[in-house]
Amino acid sequence: MLRLIREHRRFFLGTTLAALTLRLIFFVYFPAVTDDSRIYADFATNWLQHGIYGQTQLAQIVPTDTRLPGYPAFLAGIFLLFGAGNFKAVMLTQILLDLATCLIVADLARRVVSKRASRIAFVLAALCPFLANYAAAVLTETLEVFFTALALDCAAAALNRMHEGEMGARKLWAVTGAAIAACILLRPDGGLLVAAVAFYLAVAAPKGASDFVARAASLKRCPDTNLQGAKVVRQTRPAFFRNVLVAGIIVVVFALAPLAPWTIRNFRTLHHFQPLAPRYANAADELAPRGFNRWVKTWIVDYASVEEIYWNVPGDKIDPEKLPSRAINNTTERDAMLAVIADYNQSQDMTPDLDTRFGKLAADRIRAHPLRYYVVLPLLRVADMWLRPRTEILPPDVRWWEFNDDTKQSVMAVGFGLLNVFYVAAALLALVRRPSGIRWAGLLVSFLLLRTAFLGTLENPEPRYTLECYPVVILWAAAYLANATEQPQSESRF
């Protein structure tokens, strides 16, 4: 990658300056400090100043495991250097990390597609407003995308070395696992990446072994076989399988080992086994509203309902007028639902009894329309997460399609929506036309499919959850724009 940068100094310098300018615009005009940001900052401050990983409650610091320690540790490091609560320093640091992500995505495209695609990928990543937007938000997304791209890049480098019979693949697999560990420590769903890598190694190993041995045999017959070829020949099919097995073990161990101290801490301090974080980020003595969440999943498909209904519980009223028509099947169900909502609105607190009643509503709706609950709605939620304009932390209204904003905000929403469609459509075109032109395409597709399937199970379709997939989306889009799939780098796609 350094050689490519030296060959195209002006291109990379100019694009980097444009990328920095775009991110500084978001930093100056649209900085985002949300409720989640303040929760993470509270964890970081208490950890840094008092040595307690916990939240401030009624002037006391209460140890908890509702958030994984990755992002609070990052914030604690920034606060240590620049002062507690210095969100500007956090955002500026994230901007630098996001610029590094652009280079990593370009390097990944160079490894699996071509040098031309690498330059295009760098432009697409550098000028992507969705990545730039979250660099100016005190949230986990920028770091999560950075480590996801790093893990995929190292995995591609390791696969290339294994295929060529070179040394050093195990070190790259170790870095891959460490990057995945960072993803997991930031958010539990980072574990999907280790599942994708392990699955790909298990499925691709047989074909890779056959291609490897065939290539070794051809090199052995060639009178001009060089030293590298001789190393390839000496490796047999069992040796190749052994290397794949070792690679998988290394990735899993390095990815999961950092969770051990966190798990031990939770067991010793909180007296329960928790290797990640609770599904609903609830404390041990706090009710997890599973019945309410299941009821929400029987009708929710878009981010607007997340802001207007889902996030209001508990602590705010539910407005029945904002429920979509698909939330009601018949008059009897409507009366029962309005009765539960009215009882909740009186106290605005989710009690076990109310949660049970919401759960009963959900069970009846699922029994009446199982296909809608298990297939149709998850697909619609996934489509919403992938295709929304991604302006959730920007000024445009959450119901952007009603055009109730002023002209500038409406134009921003439509523009972001069209740009997002461009990225996704270009990636899909590359995938549909000729995926074999991209090395290790199976690994990238496995990650996208696993993450997309997981997102369909959530009751809160937030577009930011697809950002971890954007390094792959940008790579595919770059491959399509560069027409690199017409000239594959190698015949083997192990």
Side-chain angles (χ1 to χ4, degrees), residues 91-401:
M91 296 177 193
L92 291 174
T93 304
Q94 290 183 169
I95 286 174
L96 295 179
L97 285 173
D98 200 38
L99 294 177
T101 299
C102 298
L103 288 173
I104 294 172
V105 172
D107 189 52
L108 176 61
R110 178 187 64 84
R111 294 183 191 280
V112 304
V113 188
S114 67
K115 291 183 178 180
R116 185 180 176 211
S118 175
R119 298 196 299 274
I120 295 175
F122 185 68
V123 172
L124 293 178
L127 302 183
C128 178
F130 318 126
L131 298 181
N133 181 16
Y134 273 93
V138 185
L139 294 167
T140 61
E141 270 62 37
T142 296
L143 271 70
E144 190 79 16
V145 174
F146 171 83
F147 284 111
T148 298
L150 180 61
L152 291 172
D153 191 31
C154 291
L159 287 168
N160 284 340
R161 291 200 178 186
M162 287 178 64
H163 180 258
E164 298 299 332
E166 297 179 3
M167 303 297 292
R170 293 184 179 182
K171 293 181 179 179
L172 287 169
W173 285 123
V175 178
T176 300
I180 294 175
C183 291
I184 298 173
L185 289 172
L186 287 165
R187 282 215 307 257
D189 53 16
L192 294 170
L193 190 51
V194 71
V197 173
F199 173 78
Y200 179 71
L201 288 175
V203 171
K207 182 180 184 301
S210 299
D211 293 346
F212 184 83
V213 173
R215 180 171 177 270
S218 66
L219 287 172
K220 189 174 182 180
R221 291 191 298 268
C222 178
D224 297 328
T225 298
N226 54 23
L227 179 61
Q228 178 179 327
K231 292 179 180 178
V232 173
V233 171
R234 287 197 295 269
Q235 298 191 48
T236 62
R237 185 188 297 267
F240 188 85
F241 273 106
R242 184 169 60 251
N243 288 338
V244 170
L245 178 60
V246 170
I249 293 174
I250 290 174
V251 170
V252 171
V253 169
F254 273 81
L256 301 184
L259 292 175
W262 169 249
T263 306
I264 294 171
R265 174 264 180 190
N266 291 337
F267 187 78
R268 295 182 61 182
T269 304
L270 305 175
H271 310 295
H272 63 249
F273 178 77
Q274 178 54 265
L276 292 172
R279 168 68 178 82
Y280 298 109
N282 59 290
D285 58 348
E286 184 181 3
L287 173 68
R290 301 183 186 278
F292 171 76
N293 288 334
R294 199 176 189 212
W295 171 72
V296 167
K297 286 178 67 175
T298 63
W299 55 265
I300 195 169
V301 298
D302 60 8
Y303 177 72
S305 296
V306 173
E307 284 200 4
E308 294 171 349
I309 304 292
Y310 183 72
W311 282 350
N312 287 351
V313 178
D316 204 348
K317 290 186 176 182
I318 297 176
D319 184 356
E321 297 298 324
K322 292 185 177 180
L323 288 170
S325 59
R326 61 181 172 274
I328 304 171
N329 289 333
N330 51 59
T331 304
T332 303
E333 181 184 294
R334 179 179 182 275
D335 293 341
M337 181 192 69
L338 291 178
V340 179
I341 291 177
D343 289 344
Y344 163 78
N345 285 344
Q346 287 183 359
S347 63
Q348 300 170 30
D349 183 35
M350 184 58 65
T351 64
D353 178 64
L354 286 171
D355 189 54
T356 300
R357 292 169 65 187
F358 274 113
K360 175 64 168 56
L361 290 174
D364 293 341
R365 288 174 56 81
I366 295 169
R367 191 180 306 111
H369 298 282
L371 186 64
R372 179 177 64 183
Y373 179 79
Y374 290 107
V375 179
V376 177
L377 291 175
L379 290 176
L380 291 175
R381 285 195 291 270
V382 165
D384 185 76
M385 283 185 269
W386 272 109
L387 299 177
R388 280 190 69 86
R390 302 183 186 278
T391 56
E392 59 271 15
I393 57 173
L394 292 173
D397 188 80
V398 66
R399 293 183 174 271
W400 58 271
W401 61 91

Side-chain angles (χ1 to χ4, degrees), residues 63-79:
T64 183
D65 59 357
T66 56
R67 295 292 195 281
L68 282 161
Y71 198 62
F74 169 74
L75 293 182
I78 301 299
F79 293 167

